């Protein structure tokens, strides 16, 4: 999920992610997972505040501007 730079820090990402979590749980999902670039501290803090936990790292998982990047794996269980 991406939020345009001009709208970051105003709660748009939180609202969108909360809606996704509610719909996933309503649909019967038992787990959601994602990957976040290591240095994206804002996204890591957001998902952490919504109950995700960091479970690992994929090394050289994706390229951004031609550079291979590591990502943190996050998951949320609906128990």
């Amino acid at each position: 999920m991406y939020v345009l730079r001009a709208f970051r820090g105003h709660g748009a990402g939180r609202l969108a992610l909360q809606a996704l979590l509610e719909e996933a749980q309503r649909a019967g999902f038992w787990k959601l997972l994602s990957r976040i670039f290591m240095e994206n501290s804002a996204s890591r803090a957001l998902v952490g505040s919504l109950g995700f936990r960091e479970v690992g790292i994929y090394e050289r998982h994706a390229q951004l501007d031609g550079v291979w990047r590591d990502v943190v794996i996050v998951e949320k269980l609906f128990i």
Side-chain angles (χ1 to χ4, degrees):
M1 176 176 314
Y2 294 93
V3 176
L4 288 173
R5 193 168 299 279
F7 295 98
R8 293 179 189 170
H10 300 285
R14 176 176 293 279
L15 286 173
L17 187 52
Q18 285 173 323
L20 175 65
L21 292 173
E22 291 169 9
E23 287 301 317
Q25 196 166 16
R26 192 175 357 262
F29 285 69
W30 65 274
K31 178 189 217 178
L32 285 183
L33 64 94
S34 189
R35 288 136 334 263
I36 301 171
F37 286 123
M38 297 284 294
E39 66 279 358
N40 190 340
S41 56
S43 288
R44 290 172 72 178
L46 172 61
V47 299
S49 74
L50 292 174
F52 284 80
R53 65 187 187 112
E54 295 185 358
V55 296
I57 297 171
Y58 288 143
E59 295 180 357
R60 296 176 48 89
H61 180 71
Q63 284 191 22
L64 181 63
D65 299 325
V67 177
W68 283 102
R69 308 286 286 283
D70 297 345
V71 293
V72 176
I73 308 158
V74 296
E75 71 175 10
K76 178 174 176 69
L77 301 175
F78 299 107
I79 298 175

